[in-house]
Amino acid sequence: RSATSAVEMPKKHTTPSAEAHEHVHSARRSANQRNHAISFMNFWLLSHGGLTVCDFLRAAAVAYDGLMALQRTVHGIQVELFSLGRGSVWWAGSCSDWDRVAGDDGDRPLEVLHREAFMSQRISTTISVDLGFAEGTQVEFLGHGLEHTLDCVRQSLPRCLGPKLRITIDSVRNVSSAAPSVLRTLQEAQPRILGIEGLAVDELKTWAVCLPAFATTRVLVHAWSDSGTSNGSAVFRQLFRTLPPHVQAIDFQNLACPLCELPVDKLPRTCTAFGTIVLQRDVNGSSARGSMSFSDFIARFPAFPSHVRIVRASLGTEGRWDHSAHAIARAFRDKFPGLSVLQLELALRPSAAIIDVPFVDLARVLVDAGIRVEITDIRCRAIQYEFLRAALDHSGAMVHQIHECSTSALP
């Protein structure tokens, strides 16, 4: 062999530490590429829309990258807490937004409500969920501080959302406990919507004292007052003196005292929405709690200040509607001079026919007058529902579907 061919070229010396260093750099490059791909995918998905929470949960269940995409996309969740009671016809007459009859699929203290609506909502940085908690566990659930409540909420959500998920209590409805520990938790949570119900007179005083501390509460719902609150004027005056400082909407439902005794001059100027006016509603053949005839509404119901623009009413078929649609619309506009949105819950007893009620014509007259009409619920026979829904939609009213995610005018 030649001298040059006999010379062996020196081998490149690589230390173990150098190999490990190169391996780390390679892993980092792969991770950065994966993170870049996930970030790009998240940006594309959020820009183009179309994918739902269900799609991301499925992706998280089958692949690590899908799990990372979910946790990098969803940063927070808004929670609506709702007290649930077991089935009873006693609740059959309450307004649909606040019906609280639980299902029979278990006695878990906390469960996701409206699962299909939760899964079908479009993916976003902040999603929402409705959670029901058992009526008998209010002190246990809400009486141990906000951290305990948030921990219970986190345990009821899909684990793949991650431990860093930001949880916000947007609303708490149908709280019937006036225990000091419960009140402290609610004050710490500062929900946007606060609903209280079924309180005795002495408990109302306790609530009235603490309500001014709810600085971020915008909607106050008071339902199912104790039968001892027959002196409505005194109760309303006490509540109006101690409302949350920035309340924008007040909703009274199923009260033992008539709304005719409302001291409307004490209503704060920040309040732009009011409900629920119950007219000619019946439950199982008897008058619904707080219901009045339309003639009494015209004669006795007070006229509200013009800053109340959004009104919620529940109309039924107890008794005959002797007034025309134009007369009903004029009465609402006289009682609420600033009316711009009327939210209606409609209920027809089984024996009633659609031609017996002026609901469709009322919606048309109000829409023609420039007032937005929202149909939040329709209760009637199945054979009537689709026809009535289509007629209301044709009249120009906005008909909400069950668990529809369209934004309501209510603050």
Side-chain angles (χ1 to χ4, degrees):
R1 297 184 299 176
S2 63
T4 55
S5 63
V7 177
E8 296 184 1
M9 297 298 293
K11 294 182 179 180
K12 183 179 179 180
H13 180 68
T14 305
T15 63
S17 59
E19 292 178 356
H21 189 68
E22 184 176 350
H23 177 73
V24 169
H25 272 283
S26 176
R28 286 179 177 173
R29 283 195 300 271
S30 299
N32 289 336
Q33 291 173 356
R34 182 187 295 110
N35 292 340
H36 178 73
I38 292 175
S39 299
F40 178 79
M41 181 178 68
N42 292 346
F43 174 78
W44 188 90
L45 291 173
L46 292 175
S47 299
H48 292 76
L51 290 186
T52 64
V53 170
C54 181
D55 297 325
F56 267 70
L57 292 179
R58 287 175 175 173
V62 298
Y64 176 77
D65 287 351
L67 178 64
M68 289 295 98
L70 173 64
Q71 295 185 1
R72 290 174 182 271
T73 302
V74 180
H75 301 156
I77 187 167
Q78 288 188 336
V79 179
E80 293 191 8
L81 296 173
F82 199 82
S83 172
L84 296 175
R86 287 295 155 189
S88 169
V89 295
W90 183 252
W91 300 102
S94 62
C95 298
S96 63
D97 284 357
W98 311 104
D99 278 348
R100 57 184 204 87
V101 178
D104 295 323
D105 54 351
D107 293 323
R108 290 170 291 179
L110 200 64
E111 62 180 351
V112 177
L113 305 176
H114 312 145
R115 291 181 179 85
E116 292 185 4
F118 169 68
M119 298 292 281
S120 62
Q121 64 181 305
R122 288 194 174 186
I123 199 69
S124 176
T125 55
T126 301
I127 59 177
S128 61
V129 65
D130 293 350
L131 295 178
F133 60 96
E135 180 185 10
T137 64
Q138 292 190 22
V139 176
E140 178 184 350
F141 174 52
L142 298 171
H144 298 281
L146 181 60
E147 288 301 321
H148 172 79
T149 301
L150 295 180
D151 184 60
C152 292
V153 169
R154 192 180 301 277
Q155 292 181 30
S156 68
L157 300 173
R159 291 187 178 182
C160 56
L161 292 173
K164 297 182 180 180
L165 183 70
R166 184 180 65 254
I167 300 175
T168 303
I169 304 297
D170 184 62
S171 70
V172 184
R173 301 177 180 180
N174 297 93
V175 179
S176 58
S177 173
S181 57
V182 172
L183 297 181
R184 284 194 297 269
T185 299
L186 293 176
Q187 288 175 347
E188 191 176 358
Q190 290 288 315
R192 183 178 61 91
I193 301 175
L194 177 63
I196 57 180
E197 68 155 21
L199 302 178
V201 176
D202 56 339
E203 293 173 323
L204 281 175
K205 296 178 181 178
T206 303
W207 271 99
V209 170
C210 74
L211 281 176
F214 290 88
T216 61
T217 295
R218 298 295 182 266
V219 181
L220 176 66
V221 182
H222 189 287
W224 292 98
S225 67
D226 183 74
S227 58
T229 57
S230 55
N231 185 358
S233 179
V235 172
F236 293 138
R237 286 183 181 278
Q238 183 182 47
L239 284 175
F240 283 4
R241 284 197 302 265
T242 56
L243 287 172
H246 305 293
V247 67
Q248 297 175 357
I250 301 175
D251 196 3
F252 293 107
Q253 297 183 5
N254 302 295
L255 300 187
C257 47
L259 293 180
C260 298
E261 301 178 14
L262 279 167
V264 293
D265 57 315
K266 303 298 182 181
L267 201 65
R269 292 194 60 82
T270 57
C271 182
T272 59
F274 179 84
T276 297
I277 302 167
V278 184
L279 300 177
Q280 303 192 181
R281 279 293 305 270
D282 68 296
V283 180
N284 300 327
S286 302
S287 295
R289 212 173 190 215
S291 178
M292 71 179 81
S293 67
F294 187 71
S295 298
D296 284 344
F297 174 73
I298 294 177
R300 301 176 55 203
F301 197 82
F304 274 62
S306 58
H307 58 79
V308 176
R309 300 179 291 101
I310 304 167
V311 178
R312 175 177 169 82
S314 179
L315 310 183
T317 53
E318 183 192 28
R320 183 177 179 83
W321 285 89
D322 296 323
H323 296 76
S324 67
H326 285 85
I328 298 172
R330 184 168 56 253
F332 271 101
R333 298 183 69 182
D334 289 343
K335 300 297 183 181
F336 298 93
L339 181 65
S340 61
V341 178
L342 181 61
Q343 297 179 336
L344 292 176
E345 179 190 87
L346 307 177
L348 277 70
R349 63 169 60 180
S351 61
I354 294 178
I355 60 174
D356 295 335
V357 293
F359 299 158
V360 176
D361 291 338
L362 172 62
R364 182 180 297 110
V365 171
L366 290 170
V367 170
D368 290 344
I371 296 172
R372 177 180 173 182
V373 178
E374 297 183 0
I375 309 300
T376 59
D377 189 40
I378 301 174
R379 297 188 177 194
C380 61
R381 290 179 293 166
I383 196 173
Q384 296 175 318
Y385 175 83
E386 190 57 35
F387 178 82
L388 184 56
R389 186 205 63 78
L392 288 165
D393 185 70
H394 187 261
S395 72
M398 177 181 173
V399 184
H400 292 200
Q401 302 297 324
I402 298 177
H403 307 323
E404 189 177 48
C405 297
S406 56
T407 303
S408 167
L410 188 68

